[in-house]
Amino acid sequence: MNTHNLLILICILYAMLLFAVAFAADRAARKGRGAWLSSPLIYTLSLSIYCTGWTFYGAVGFAARSGLEFVTIYLGPTLVMVGWWWILRKLVRIGRSQRITSIADMLSSRYGKSNTLAVFVTVFAVIGTTPYIALQLQSVTLSFAVFSGQDPTGMTIKNLQQPALWVAAGLVLFTILFGTRNLDANERHHGVVMAIAVEAVVKLLALLAVGVFVVWGLGGGLNGTLQTIDASELAEWRVPGGRWVGLTMLAAAAFLCLPRMFQVLVVENQNEGHLRTAAWAFPTYVMLMSLFVVPIAAIGLKLLPAGSNPDLFVLTLPLHGGQDALAIVSFIGGFSSATSMVIVAAIALSTMVSNHIVMPIWLRLTGGSLMKSGDVRGVALLARRFSIGAIVMLGYTYFHFSSGGAALAAIGLVSFAGVAQFLPALIGGLFWRGATRLGALAGLGVGFVLWLYCLFLPSFGAGVIVPVSVMADGPWGISWLRPYALFGTQGMDPLIHAVMWSIMLNTAAFLAVSIVTFPRPVERLQGAQFVNVFEHSSRAGHWTGGLAQSEDLLIMTQRILGPEEAQALFSGEARRQGLSGYLPEPSTEFIERLERELSGSVGAATAHAMVSQIVGRATVSVEDLLAVADETAQIMEYSSRLEAKSAELARTARQLREANDKLTQLSEQKDAFLGQVSHELRTPMTSIRAFSEILRDGDDLSRTDQQRYSSIIHGESLRLTRLLDDLLDLSVLESGRASLNAQEGVLGDVLDRAVAATGGSGPEFRIERDPAAERIVLHTDIDRLAQVFINLISNARKYCDAPEPALHIDVRDEAGALRVDFIDNGSGISVPDQAVVFEKFVRIGQTRSGGAGLGLAICREIMNRLGGDVSYLPGQRGAAFRVTLPHNLRIAAQ
Ligand code: ADP
């Protein structure tokens, strides 16, 4: 096997290992066994995607060319990590409380959930990152070239397109598989993060191994190496102070703003406390990564022939020393650095593209109606997967068409300078309540244009995009507009020149426009939440709508988060508010929380737009509030407190009114029922009495008459007994005197029994079931459970008014509980009626007589006794009842 094929085999095996790691981590997380996945160490290791293929190979090249300057690239992030409590902690806290999905989402959310801003940041991020992805592909192909025996300096990129394409395709596959498994960005990508952590260890060990070999194997030990360094030009090069400070600041800014760094730092962060560990562990990691950079550079310059590419010393030195195996280890290290960067960057960018570009367009195209059929979740996932492919392939295309070499090598820092433009709006948004959306847009716009003009476009080389004449004399001969000498600042380093002007004017525009413009209410609100994230803010809770609105919200949420999660969220909130069932009050507090939950899936701007469609008035009332109490924060908070109190009062009054209504309704129904009971008792009693008198007195009755009368008497007494049985049953259950008889049984059998008892499934009433899901062994009072099932099925039979009535029985075995849903296709039960169907004696629609309205009350009592529950499930096709049984069923204590 030649080296080339061997390398490909190694890459494939390595990729398989990563797949296995990611798969195992995902599985562990889903089974709830993943506590170790969220350790601070894993978090720290995931931050290492900062060290990409460019840093793995390039740091040595950087050192060989410019001496100690490469240290700035590591110094910047170290400063950020050490000073974490200042900015990072705030970012992470906001990221969690607002369920931020990306840096675009962060900025958009801070500035009033503005989608324009999000689109702008997304496009900017894609432009800045594409060349960087190309750079990673290039570093992988260059390392291939070293092994193929080609001289990498003189080789043509063309014949190495193939490996790059395969690597790109593999990365797309991996990212799609593990990066878009679930939609909610806040559920986090355990698999990916774990794989990244493994790659972090691999690349560190690889670099250390090469370093140890170079120092002790080639450089003659510590002393020899120090002598070589002293003798080399590295020791002589002096570093200009301005460039040092500039580069360090640039690296620090990029560390916070790079979309991929934001992804691991903020979005994937599980616990604020992890920052404490990362504050020392990440600088240590980075220090170890840079430990051998200078020795490798110095010894490489000494031992390898003049003109060898210093970017590849990490590979060529082991090869030179005859250590092929070590060279392969080093190759894997570089491969790890490159792939982990591309994976995380693709996840981060695809989230931005799908949430801020594809989803809004899709929402607009579908008429903005959310109640229509169609799965929002599916669309969002598809958009995300498609974007991942598009982004990586864009990187590949860039790599394909840029001929590699010089233009690409500078791209790392160019990219840093691009994303650094987010910094003023980001920091301003965190600490200054007066920052406005227009200010942010202006700052970003100015920064972006200057970056393009002074750095990005010229980086392709004079004459490629920017004409030589413009570079030399400025556009139209205006010399103070020369891209490398703006406003007469001659003789500066082009990078520092561009960073200085772009950041300076960006900040100036941001401040100036923010001061002269007036923030919209939503911006103000978000601004206050961001700036004061650490203060416990108790803001006003307006009651905005009724339970019917909650049902609409539930339907929409089910379509975004999926039914399980949506129902859990709603019933949890309802319980918190002291209500039963699935529909909480749509208080402002809840609506804000809901918006944040949804923004984890579709981004803040989209979530806000969707929720406002249903509760459009919520923002208006805040607007009113703010218009009045706008002057100072104190006034606003004071007024919020008042507002909270009055909303609280209004809510209490409403709850009292509802309770009162319910009581009146119940008492009326009870009266009606007593009348009904007397009536029902009286009618059979009358006929029993009449016919028994006839039987007693009528000596000449024929045999058939006798039989007929006695069977009437028998039938009527049966009816009486049933009614009395029900009443008795209920009173026994209610008083807690009912004894339960626990047995083992299979759920499917219990359902079979209930279906058979109610007349079976047939064309006149179809019952759909999933026998596979019903194979669950229960340990409970089987007869009582069957009684509940029989009641629910016979109710569906009696009351389902569809032309082709059908009942769907859906069984789900979940971590917390076993759920059996009975969903029919009738017109269901209206929201006000849902609140009372489980009460005793309640029948809806007096005309549809049947039972006495005791069935569901009995069901609820039984389920309570069995330790489970039965409740109405709103937001389905027709009437729907959910029976919940806890796992490890035990009979509730007597
Ligand atoms: P009953 O003994 O009258 O059936 P239940 O307590 O079982 O009393 O049910 C109470 C009321 O709830 C019924 O009168 C009926 O109006 C309504 N109901 C129950 N199940 C359904 C259903 N599947 N579809 C429509 N209405 C229903």
Side-chain angles (χ1 to χ4, degrees), residues 296-311:
I296 296 176
I299 292 172
L301 284 176
K302 182 176 146 197
L303 292 187
L304 294 176
S308 339
N309 184 355
D311 281 337

Side-chain angles (χ1 to χ4, degrees), residues 22 147 149 224 245 283 288 317-318 354 375 380 414 419 475 508 528 531 611 633 691 749 783 812:
F147 282 94
V245 175
L288 289 175
L317 272 176
S354 89
D375 190 3
V414 173
V419 293
V531 174
V611 171
F691 286 109
D749 297 344
D783 294 333
R812 220 157 271 194

Side-chain angles (χ1 to χ4, degrees), residues 461-495:
V464 179
I465 295 182
V466 186
V468 181
S469 65
V470 173
M471 295 300 290
D473 309 318
W476 305 287
I478 309 174
S479 68
W480 55 269
L481 279 184
R482 277 172 294 165
Y484 281 166
L486 221 49
F487 310 116
T489 44
Q490 217 125 11
M492 278 182 82
D493 176 82
L495 177 73

Side-chain angles (χ1 to χ4, degrees), residues 791 795-796 798-799 824 829 837 842-844 851-853 855-856 879 881:
N791 214 306
N795 272 358
K798 278 190 284 183
Y799 303 117
D824 67 34
I829 298 180
V837 273
V842 169
R843 285 172 303 179
I844 297 153
L856 287 175
F881 291 88

Side-chain angles (χ1 to χ4, degrees), residues 661-732:
D661 288 351
K662 202 160 149 184
L663 277 178
T664 322
Q665 204 181 350
L666 282 179
S667 119
E668 280 166 5
Q669 274 167 346
K670 200 158 187 162
D671 287 347
F673 170 74
L674 281 178
Q676 166 109 10
V677 166
S678 344
H679 174 75
E680 301 237 343
L681 286 176
R682 182 170 275 279
T683 333
M685 279 310 235
T686 316
S687 55
I688 290 174
R689 207 177 68 209
F691 286 109
S692 52
E693 275 168 11
I694 297 176
L695 282 179
R696 190 191 58 197
D697 303 335
D699 303 326
D700 48 351
L701 281 177
S702 69
R703 176 94 189 113
T704 46
D705 278 347
Q706 272 181 17
Q707 257 173 1
R708 195 155 63 86
Y709 297 149
S710 44
S711 66
I712 290 176
I713 293 175
H714 183 245
E716 291 298 301
S717 29
L718 274 185
R719 215 170 104 195
L720 269 179
T721 322
R722 232 182 359 249
L723 180 63
L724 292 172
D725 277 349
D726 273 359
L727 279 170
L728 208 60
D729 201 14
L730 193 60
S731 89
V732 167

Side-chain angles (χ1 to χ4, degrees), residues 726 791-801 807 822-824 826-829 833 836-846 848-859 872 878-881:
D726 273 359
N791 214 306
L792 294 176
I793 301 173
S794 69
N795 272 358
R797 238 176 210 287
K798 278 190 284 183
Y799 303 117
C800 178
D801 51 3
L807 176 70
F822 295 82
I823 306 174
D824 67 34
S827 50
I829 298 180
D833 288 336
V836 294
V837 273
F838 285 99
E839 306 293 346
K840 279 172 281 182
F841 316 124
V842 169
R843 285 172 303 179
I844 297 153
Q846 295 292 332
R848 286 192 278 160
S849 183
L854 291 176
L856 287 175
I858 293 178
C859 288
Y872 190 80
F881 291 88

Side-chain angles (χ1 to χ4, degrees), residues 622-631:
V622 173
E623 197 164 1
D624 296 340
L625 168 67
L626 287 169
V628 182
D630 175 88
E631 301 312 322

